Every structure is written in structure tokens, then in C-alpha cells.
Amino acid sequence: MKALWTVAAAAIGAAAYGLSRPGVRATLREDLDTVRRRDPAATNDFVSMVSYPGMHAIWAHRGLHRLWQNDSTKVPARLMSQAVRTLTGVEIHPGAQIGRRFFIDHANGVVIGETSEIGDDVMLYHQVTLGGTSMEQTKRHPTIGNHVLVGAGAKILGPVVVGDNSSVGANAVVVKDVAADSSAVGIPAKVRPYKNRTDPEAAGSDVGDSRSPYADFELIDPAIWI
Ligand SMILES: CC(C)(COP(=O)(O)OP(=O)(O)OC[C@H]1O[C@@H](n2cnc3c(N)ncnc32)[C@H](O)[C@@H]1OP(=O)(O)O)[C@@H](O)C(=O)NCCC(=O)NCCS
């Protein structure tokens, strides 16, 4: 019991220290604003902070991605990412490169492979796979541009590129590149330029860097401190 209190006190101390650092606070603020912007149901920051497993998986990934950069900490990074998968239902390989204001709604069943690259302002729904099609240890997972939305259940397979401002429809299976400003729907996905953009928020293109109040700060992962 005493050990438990010690761990709890250390965790609270680390959180307080972390939150006293402006970079960590700004990152946390940006993340919580992203939740609000992406999910109309999110109205309370405290509730968002504790109840979005997609956000928890992203925070953990930022810390684990740092560990992945060092050969001696690759194994712990991989093991911890599996623990995060158990806790959040989201499997992000620690090698995956992910930009800012990334959001995973509903979280469960998302898989993001080792050589995936994800730009800024990307949103995924549950059951999305960014998967590989090759057993070679080369670039074998997708590259997702900025302001991309990937609908629930979509599978994007192989080293394909999804261009900026594009959307992948729910349950689509994408095996070829998707041009910028397009939507890809169906199995196999057919790509077509946007017909109409009545709901830019839903299409994932709402938050340009130029409009972001956070464009200039260095991203520091809250998970490092909490
Ligand atoms: C693809 C999507 C982003 C819309 O993109 P869009 O370019 O604005 O598409 P439109 O609504 O203009 O539809 C274009 C065509 O694609 C079809 N289409 C749209 N989404 C589709 C989908 N997921 N699967 C198959 N066809 C789809 C439309 O019926 C339409 O067909 P038509 O040209 O024959 O009329 C959207 O339909 C979607 O799938 N969003 C994901 C939402 C989601 O996963 N929500 C989960 C909440 S829990």
C-alpha cells in the first residue's frame, strides 16, 4: 500500500512538473482543442483528457517514438506499445511518424504500421488499418498527407500515398495512390475529385496551420511527464 502511494505521489509530482513547462502545456492545449474541433460531443477538457483512448494512444506514441530512435531502447518501446494497445485498443508501431493535431475518434481497432508516415491535421475513425503488403524490411506502409480524413473501417495497404486534403470513405480498401483533394471510396477504392465540399470539417480540412494559434511552438509530448 505504501508503495502504491509512493508511485501515485511520484506520478502527481511528475505531472505537476511537466505541466509547469510551457511546451508541454501548449502541446496539451493543442491536443485538447483538436478533440473539441473534431468531436462535437467533446465539451469539457477534463473529460476529454481522461476519456479519449485515441488521445492516450497518441500521447504514449510520442514518447515511445522517441525511445524508438535509440537502438538500446527499441525493445522496451515495442513492448510498451503492446501494453498501450491493450489499454487503448489502438496499435501504433513506435516507428510510425505522426504529425501534429492527429486525432483518432472512437479508437478501437486502429492499427498503424511501422513505416507509416502521417502528416498534420489527420483524423482517423475506429477500425482503420494503415498496413503493409510486403514482408521486406523497407517502406511498406502508407504515407498520409496533411488534412486527411480516413473513415471508419477503411484499410490503406502498402506504400501508397494519400494526398493532402483527401478523404478515404468508410470501409474503403485503398491499394493505389489517392490524389490530393479527392475522395476514395469502395473496394478497391475508386478515386475521384471532390464532388462537393459542403462539410469541410467532416472532410478533414478545417485546420490549416496558418489559422492555428500554435503554429510556432515546439511539440513536447505530455506523456513524457505524466
Ligand atoms: C467519403 C466521405 C468522406 C465523403 O466524401 P465526398 O467526396 O464528400 O463524397 P460525397 O458525399 O460527395 O459522395 C461521392 C460519392 O461517393 C459515395 N460514397 C460516399 N461515401 C462512401 C463510402 N464510404 N463508401 C462507398 N461510397 C461512398 C456517394 O454515395 C457518392 O456516390 P455517387 O457519386 O454515386 O452519388 C464520406 O462519405 C465518408 O465515408 N466519411 C467517413 C465518415 C465516418 O467514417 N464516420 C464514422 C463516424 S462514427
Coordinates of all heavy atoms in Angstrom, one line a residue, residues 105-106 123-126 128 149-154 166-172 181-187 190 192-199 202-204, ligand 1:
D105 N -10.8 9.0 -33.5 CA -12.1 9.0 -32.8 C -12.6 7.6 -32.6 O -12.4 6.7 -33.5 CB -13.1 9.8 -33.6 CG -14.2 10.3 -32.7 OD1 -14.2 10.1 -31.5 OD2 -15.2 11.0 -33.3
H106 N -13.1 7.3 -31.5 CA -13.6 6.0 -31.1 C -12.5 5.0 -30.9 O -12.8 3.9 -30.2 CB -14.7 5.5 -32.1 CG -15.8 6.5 -32.3 ND1 -16.6 6.9 -31.2 CD2 -16.2 7.2 -33.4 CE1 -17.5 7.8 -31.7 NE2 -17.2 8.0 -33.0
M123 N -7.2 12.8 -39.3 CA -8.2 12.2 -38.4 C -8.5 10.8 -38.9 O -8.8 10.6 -40.1 CB -9.5 13.1 -38.4 CG -10.6 12.4 -37.6 SD -11.8 13.6 -37.3 CE -13.0 12.6 -36.4
L124 N -8.5 9.9 -38.0 CA -8.9 8.5 -38.3 C -10.1 8.1 -37.4 O -10.1 8.6 -36.3 CB -7.8 7.5 -38.0 CG -6.4 7.7 -38.5 CD1 -5.5 6.4 -38.1 CD2 -6.3 7.9 -39.9
Y125 N -11.0 7.4 -38.0 CA -12.0 6.7 -37.1 C -11.6 5.3 -36.7 O -10.5 4.8 -37.2 CB -13.3 6.7 -37.9 CG -14.0 8.1 -37.9 CD1 -14.0 8.8 -39.1 CD2 -14.7 8.5 -36.8 CE1 -14.7 10.1 -39.1 CE2 -15.4 9.8 -36.8 CZ -15.3 10.5 -38.0 OH -16.0 11.7 -38.0
H126 N -12.4 4.7 -35.9 CA -12.1 3.4 -35.5 C -11.9 2.4 -36.6 O -12.5 2.6 -37.7 CB -13.2 2.9 -34.5 CG -14.6 3.0 -35.1 ND1 -15.2 4.3 -35.3 CD2 -15.5 2.1 -35.6 CE1 -16.4 4.1 -35.8 NE2 -16.6 2.8 -36.0
V128 N -9.5 1.6 -38.5 CA -8.7 1.9 -39.6 C -7.4 1.1 -39.6 O -6.8 1.0 -38.5 CB -8.4 3.4 -39.7 CG1 -7.3 3.7 -40.7 CG2 -9.7 4.2 -40.1
L149 N -8.9 12.8 -43.9 CA -9.8 12.1 -43.1 C -9.9 10.6 -43.6 O -10.0 10.4 -44.8 CB -11.2 12.7 -43.1 CG -12.3 12.0 -42.4 CD1 -13.0 12.9 -41.4 CD2 -13.3 11.4 -43.4
V150 N -9.8 9.7 -42.7 CA -9.9 8.3 -43.0 C -11.1 7.7 -42.3 O -11.1 7.7 -41.0 CB -8.7 7.5 -42.7 CG1 -8.8 6.1 -43.2 CG2 -7.4 8.1 -43.4
G151 N -12.2 7.3 -43.0 CA -13.4 6.9 -42.4 C -13.3 5.5 -41.7 O -12.4 4.8 -41.9
A152 N -14.3 5.3 -40.9 CA -14.3 4.0 -40.1 C -14.2 2.8 -40.9 O -14.8 2.6 -42.0 CB -15.7 4.0 -39.3
G153 N -13.3 1.9 -40.5 CA -13.1 0.6 -41.1 C -12.3 0.6 -42.4 O -12.1 -0.4 -43.0
A154 N -11.8 1.8 -42.8 CA -11.0 1.8 -44.0 C -9.7 1.1 -43.9 O -9.1 1.2 -42.8 CB -10.8 3.3 -44.5
S166 N -7.4 15.1 -48.7 CA -8.3 14.0 -49.3 C -9.0 13.3 -48.2 O -8.7 13.4 -47.0 CB -7.4 13.0 -50.1 OG -7.0 13.6 -51.3
S167 N -10.0 12.5 -48.6 CA -10.8 11.7 -47.7 C -10.8 10.2 -48.2 O -11.0 10.0 -49.4 CB -12.2 12.2 -47.6 OG -12.3 13.5 -47.2
V168 N -10.7 9.3 -47.3 CA -10.9 7.9 -47.6 C -12.2 7.5 -46.9 O -12.4 7.7 -45.7 CB -9.7 7.1 -47.1 CG1 -10.0 5.6 -47.3 CG2 -8.4 7.5 -47.7
G169 N -13.2 7.0 -47.7 CA -14.5 6.7 -47.2 C -14.5 5.5 -46.3 O -13.6 4.7 -46.3
A170 N -15.6 5.5 -45.4 CA -15.7 4.4 -44.5 C -15.7 3.1 -45.3 O -16.3 2.9 -46.4 CB -17.1 4.5 -43.8
N171 N -15.0 2.1 -44.7 CA -14.8 0.8 -45.3 C -14.2 0.6 -46.6 O -14.2 -0.4 -47.2 CB -16.2 0.1 -45.3 CG -16.7 -0.3 -43.9 OD1 -15.8 -0.7 -43.1 ND2 -17.9 -0.3 -43.7
A172 N -13.5 1.7 -47.1 CA -12.8 1.6 -48.4 C -11.6 0.8 -48.2 O -11.0 0.7 -47.1 CB -12.4 3.0 -48.9
D181 N -6.9 16.4 -52.7 CA -8.3 17.0 -52.9 C -9.2 16.0 -53.6 O -10.0 16.4 -54.5 CB -8.2 18.3 -53.8 CG -7.3 19.3 -53.1 OD1 -7.7 19.7 -52.0 OD2 -6.3 19.7 -53.7
S182 N -9.1 14.7 -53.2 CA -10.0 13.7 -53.8 C -10.7 12.9 -52.6 O -10.2 13.0 -51.5 CB -9.2 12.7 -54.6 OG -8.4 13.4 -55.5
S183 N -11.6 12.1 -53.0 CA -12.1 11.1 -52.1 C -12.0 9.7 -52.7 O -12.0 9.6 -54.0 CB -13.6 11.4 -51.7 OG -14.4 11.4 -52.9
A184 N -11.7 8.8 -51.9 CA -11.5 7.4 -52.4 C -12.6 6.5 -51.6 O -12.6 6.5 -50.4 CB -10.1 6.9 -52.0
V185 N -13.4 5.9 -52.4 CA -14.5 5.1 -51.8 C -14.6 3.7 -52.5 O -14.3 3.6 -53.6 CB -15.9 5.8 -51.8 CG1 -15.8 7.1 -51.0 CG2 -16.4 6.1 -53.2
G186 N -15.0 2.7 -51.7 CA -15.3 1.4 -52.3 C -14.2 0.5 -52.1 O -13.1 0.8 -51.6
I187 N -14.4 -0.8 -52.7 CA -13.4 -1.8 -52.6 C -13.3 -2.4 -54.0 O -14.3 -3.0 -54.6 CB -13.8 -3.0 -51.7 CG1 -14.1 -2.4 -50.3 CG2 -12.8 -4.0 -51.6 CD1 -14.7 -3.4 -49.3
K190 N -12.1 3.6 -55.4 CA -12.1 4.4 -56.7 C -11.9 5.9 -56.2 O -12.5 6.4 -55.3 CB -13.4 4.3 -57.4 CG -13.7 2.9 -57.9 CD -14.1 3.0 -59.4 CE -14.2 1.6 -60.0 NZ -13.7 0.4 -59.4
R192 N -11.9 9.9 -56.8 CA -12.5 11.0 -57.7 C -12.3 12.3 -57.0 O -12.4 12.4 -55.7 CB -14.0 10.7 -58.0 CG -14.8 10.2 -56.8 CD -16.1 9.8 -57.2 NE -16.7 8.8 -56.3 CZ -17.8 8.1 -56.6 NH1 -18.4 8.3 -57.7 NH2 -18.2 7.2 -55.7
P193 N -12.2 13.4 -57.8 CA -12.1 14.7 -57.2 C -13.3 15.0 -56.4 O -14.4 14.5 -56.7 CB -12.0 15.6 -58.4 CG -11.7 14.8 -59.6 CD -12.2 13.4 -59.3
Y194 N -13.2 15.8 -55.4 CA -14.4 16.1 -54.6 C -15.5 16.6 -55.4 O -15.3 17.5 -56.2 CB -14.0 17.2 -53.5 CG -13.3 16.6 -52.3 CD1 -12.1 17.2 -51.9 CD2 -13.9 15.6 -51.6 CE1 -11.4 16.7 -50.8 CE2 -13.2 15.1 -50.5 CZ -12.0 15.7 -50.1 OH -11.4 15.2 -49.0
K195 N -16.7 16.0 -55.2 CA -17.9 16.5 -55.9 C -18.4 17.8 -55.2 O -18.6 18.7 -55.9 CB -19.0 15.4 -55.7 CG -19.3 14.7 -57.0 CD -20.2 13.5 -56.6 CE -21.5 13.6 -57.4 NZ -22.4 12.5 -57.0
N196 N -18.5 17.7 -53.9 CA -18.9 18.9 -53.2 C -18.2 18.9 -51.9 O -17.9 17.9 -51.3 CB -20.5 18.9 -53.0 CG -20.9 17.6 -52.4 OD1 -20.3 17.2 -51.4 ND2 -21.9 17.0 -52.9
R197 N -18.0 20.1 -51.3 CA -17.3 20.2 -50.0 C -18.2 21.0 -49.1 O -17.9 22.0 -48.6 CB -16.0 20.9 -50.2 CG -15.0 20.2 -51.1 CD -14.7 18.8 -50.5 NE -14.1 19.0 -49.1 CZ -12.8 19.2 -49.0 NH1 -12.0 19.3 -50.0 NH2 -12.3 19.4 -47.8
T198 N -19.5 20.4 -48.9 CA -20.4 21.2 -48.1 C -20.0 21.1 -46.6 O -20.3 22.0 -45.8 CB -21.8 20.6 -48.2 OG1 -21.7 19.1 -48.0 CG2 -22.4 20.9 -49.5
D199 N -19.2 20.1 -46.2 CA -18.8 19.9 -44.8 C -17.3 19.8 -44.7 O -16.8 18.6 -44.6 CB -19.6 18.7 -44.2 CG -19.3 18.6 -42.8 OD1 -18.6 19.5 -42.2 OD2 -19.8 17.6 -42.2
A202 N -15.9 17.7 -41.8 CA -16.0 16.3 -42.0 C -15.0 15.7 -42.9 O -14.5 14.6 -42.8 CB -17.4 15.9 -42.4
A203 N -14.6 16.6 -43.9 CA -13.6 16.1 -44.9 C -12.2 16.3 -44.4 O -11.2 15.9 -45.0 CB -13.8 16.9 -46.2
G204 N -12.0 16.8 -43.2 CA -10.7 16.8 -42.5 C -9.8 18.0 -42.9 O -8.7 18.0 -42.6
Ligands
LIG1 C1 -16.1 9.6 -48.4 C2 -16.7 10.7 -47.5 C3 -15.6 11.4 -46.7 C4 -17.4 11.7 -48.4 O1 -16.6 12.2 -49.4 P1 -17.2 13.2 -50.6 O2 -16.2 13.3 -51.7 O3 -17.7 14.4 -49.9 O4 -18.3 12.2 -51.1 P2 -19.8 12.5 -51.5 O5 -20.6 12.6 -50.3 O6 -19.9 13.7 -52.4 O7 -20.1 11.2 -52.3 C5 -19.5 10.9 -53.5 C6 -19.9 9.5 -53.9 O8 -19.3 8.5 -53.1 C7 -20.3 7.7 -52.5 N1 -19.8 7.4 -51.1 C8 -19.6 8.3 -50.1 N2 -19.1 7.6 -49.1 C9 -18.9 6.3 -49.4 C10 -18.5 5.2 -48.7 N3 -18.0 5.3 -47.5 N4 -18.4 4.0 -49.4 C11 -18.9 3.9 -50.7 N5 -19.4 5.0 -51.4 C12 -19.4 6.2 -50.7 C13 -21.5 8.6 -52.5 O9 -22.7 7.8 -52.5 C14 -21.4 9.3 -53.8 O10 -21.7 8.4 -54.8 P3 -22.4 8.9 -56.2 O11 -21.4 9.8 -56.9 O12 -22.7 7.7 -57.0 O13 -23.6 9.7 -55.8 C15 -17.8 10.1 -46.5 O14 -18.8 9.6 -47.2 C16 -17.2 9.1 -45.5 O15 -17.2 7.9 -45.8 N6 -16.8 9.6 -44.4 C17 -16.4 8.8 -43.2 C18 -17.3 9.1 -42.1 C19 -17.1 8.0 -41.0 O16 -16.4 7.1 -41.0 N7 -17.8 8.3 -39.9 C20 -17.7 7.4 -38.7 C21 -18.4 8.1 -37.6 S1 -18.5 7.1 -36.2

